[in-house]
Amino acid sequence: MDNIFKNNILPLKDMLFRLALRITLNRQEAEDVVQDTLLKMWARREEWGNINSLEAMAITICRNQALDYTKKAGRSNMSIDEDRDCHVSANDPSVQLEQKEGLSMVRTVIDGLPEVQRSIMVLREVEGQSFAKIADELGMNESQVRVYLHRARQKIKKKLSTL
Amino acid sequence: MDYKYIEQLLEHYWECKTTIQEEQILYAFFSQENIPESLAQYRDVFVANGKLAGEHLDEEFDKRILSLTVETEKKVEAKRITLYHRMRPLYRAAAMVAIVLTIGMASQHSFVNDSTSSPTLWAEQNVEDPDSEFTQLPNSMENTSAKASEIGQDSLSHHPVK
């Protein structure tokens, strides 16, 4: 049990953190969500033998926890990096400002997407997972995953083309 | 420089037709500093996701989680108690009951006015002169043995040896 937790479940913490961060949009809450998720996983250790994918189980718990936190906090849209400087490479302050605005706008669009689209974006774009794996983790089929991701990307593209 | 390949990949990206490897090429391309103007507007999508990829929890978090899960269970295991320790409260309870019963019985005896309950008390109440009782004891013993021998002879005479 100890080894399974240390080697297979605990290493999921960063992926779960990024997923929770994209849903809650708050670093402290995202950390709390991951902690709650891992403690719940540990509490259900007797079920591990009967479960096909511990990762899928952890992701499901994490998403539910994150949504609970968001509901309790009563907010939905806020930038995850609102208190941090954006990464910009150009030295010209006007270009920096432009890039900051562009980045901020993209984040606002992403953060305004439905939760399932945001989760799929994290798993695909950030974690680099296959459609099959994402479908398995989120309990849907591959074509549904593609449809959700397609909608999310189209929304972002549309917003960018209006700039 | 020809960016047709990148533009083609981008078109596939928006339509969700890119593979993971092709998407990695796009992320690598947009992480560069010099991006052509025609593609610059898409840069922020990849930068935003790339920034999220750099987010992680520190080792303190691991320690905290392990102390709340695996290590807590180990501590509980280390405090495994033997049968003797497990039964110790029972022994204590039994000892307490025994003490209470003993005290109760002793107090009951002391409060009941029964002359036969104490040999000393009986002697004090029934023996008026201890010295005379002591001198009469050998005489009474002799009488008892004489009576016993008479009874023995009578029984022999009733059953003569053939």
Side-chain angles (χ1 to χ4, degrees):
Chain A
M1 287 287 183
D2 294 8
N3 286 338
I4 293 174
F5 188 79
K6 282 181 186 172
N7 301 330
N8 298 18
I9 297 174
L10 192 56
L12 299 174
K13 69 179 168 67
D14 289 333
M15 184 265 285
L16 295 173
F17 177 63
R18 290 188 281 265
L19 183 63
L21 195 53
R22 188 71 16 122
I23 298 170
T24 62
L25 312 176
N26 180 292
R27 299 183 67 78
Q28 188 53 54
E29 281 182 7
E31 192 172 327
D32 292 344
V33 165
V34 179
Q35 180 171 316
D36 291 351
T37 302
L38 294 175
L39 293 181
K40 282 196 174 184
M41 286 292 289
W42 177 251
R44 292 169 67 178
R45 58 190 177 279
E46 299 302 325
E47 300 172 32
W48 292 351
N50 307 322
I51 287 166
N52 290 332
S53 169
L54 291 173
E55 194 171 339
M57 185 185 182
I59 286 174
T60 305
I61 295 172
C62 182
R63 285 177 68 204
N64 290 334
Q65 287 290 117
L67 286 172
D68 282 349
Y69 268 83
T70 312
K71 278 178 193 167
K72 277 179 198 166
R75 55 162 166 63
S76 56
N77 289 339
M78 190 176 77
S79 171
I80 54 175
D81 288 316
E82 63 180 2
D83 57 336
R84 304 170 78 190
D85 288 331
C86 300
H87 170 77
V88 284
S89 54
N91 293 325
D92 184 350
S94 64
V95 175
Q96 281 185 2
L97 184 66
E98 229 172 71
Q99 286 187 350
K100 268 189 177 181
E101 282 174 356
L103 201 57
S104 173
M105 190 277 296
V106 167
R107 281 189 189 132
T108 306
V109 175
I110 292 174
D111 295 346
L113 294 170
E115 180 276 324
V116 67
Q117 291 181 22
R118 275 187 276 166
S119 294
I120 290 171
M121 275 202 82
V122 173
L123 296 175
R124 178 69 181 188
E125 311 266 345
V126 181
E127 307 303 329
Q129 293 184 1
S130 67
F131 289 121
K133 192 176 180 188
I134 296 169
D136 182 47
E137 287 167 348
L138 301 187
M140 48 179 79
N141 59 47
E142 275 188 58
S143 53
Q144 280 177 304
V145 173
R146 281 178 190 273
V147 167
Y148 281 126
L149 188 62
H150 183 259
R151 283 181 192 161
R153 285 179 178 173
Q154 286 299 314
K155 206 168 187 176
I156 295 166
K157 185 187 177 191
K158 196 177 171 184
K159 195 76 184 174
L160 289 172
S161 62
T162 60
L163 283 176
Chain B
M1 198 173 173
D2 189 10
Y3 295 105
K4 262 198 172 175
Y5 176 62
I6 296 296
E7 285 169 357
Q8 211 172 31
L9 280 186
L10 254 182
E11 280 309 307
H12 287 165
Y13 172 83
W14 297 122
E15 295 302 320
C16 279
K17 289 176 182 171
T18 41
T19 63
I20 294 170
Q21 289 73 25
E22 287 171 336
E23 287 170 18
Q24 283 171 349
I25 292 170
L26 287 174
Y27 273 93
F29 175 80
F30 283 104
S31 67
Q32 296 175 107
E33 289 194 4
N34 298 318
I35 306 288
E37 221 172 283
S38 60
L39 297 171
Q41 60 178 323
Y42 303 118
R43 177 197 171 106
D44 295 327
V45 178
F46 298 94
V47 171
N49 286 325
K51 278 202 79 165
L52 185 61
E55 298 286 356
H56 60 86
L57 292 165
D58 56 16
E59 287 182 6
E60 284 301 312
F61 180 85
D62 287 19
K63 286 179 189 170
R64 194 165 73 238
I65 291 295
L66 289 174
S67 71
L68 291 169
T69 54
V70 179
E71 286 167 15
T72 306
E73 195 183 56
K74 276 183 183 170
K75 279 177 191 169
V76 171
E77 275 180 6
K79 286 182 180 174
R80 193 172 286 161
I81 53 171
T82 61
L83 186 66
Y84 170 74
H85 283 94
R86 201 172 289 171
M87 300 294 280
R88 197 188 266 178
L90 197 68
Y91 299 151
R92 284 178 178 169
M96 284 301 294
V97 168
I99 290 166
V100 168
L101 282 176
T102 309
I103 293 169
M105 285 172 73
S107 62
Q108 201 176 12
H109 273 279
S110 63
F111 288 121
V112 171
N113 188 16
D114 183 4
S115 58
T116 57
S117 64
S118 167
T120 317
L121 193 64
W122 179 86
E124 282 174 1
Q125 287 173 349
N126 295 288
V127 180
E128 290 173 356
D129 185 6
D131 292 336
S132 65
E133 291 287 338
F134 186 72
T135 51
Q136 285 172 8
L137 187 64
N139 295 334
S140 63
M141 286 178 78
E142 277 174 17
N143 292 337
T144 308
S145 72
K147 278 183 183 173
S149 60
E150 278 175 22
I151 291 165
Q153 292 213 344
D154 285 348
S155 62
L156 285 172
S157 61
H158 285 296
H159 303 284
V161 180
K162 288 180 184 175

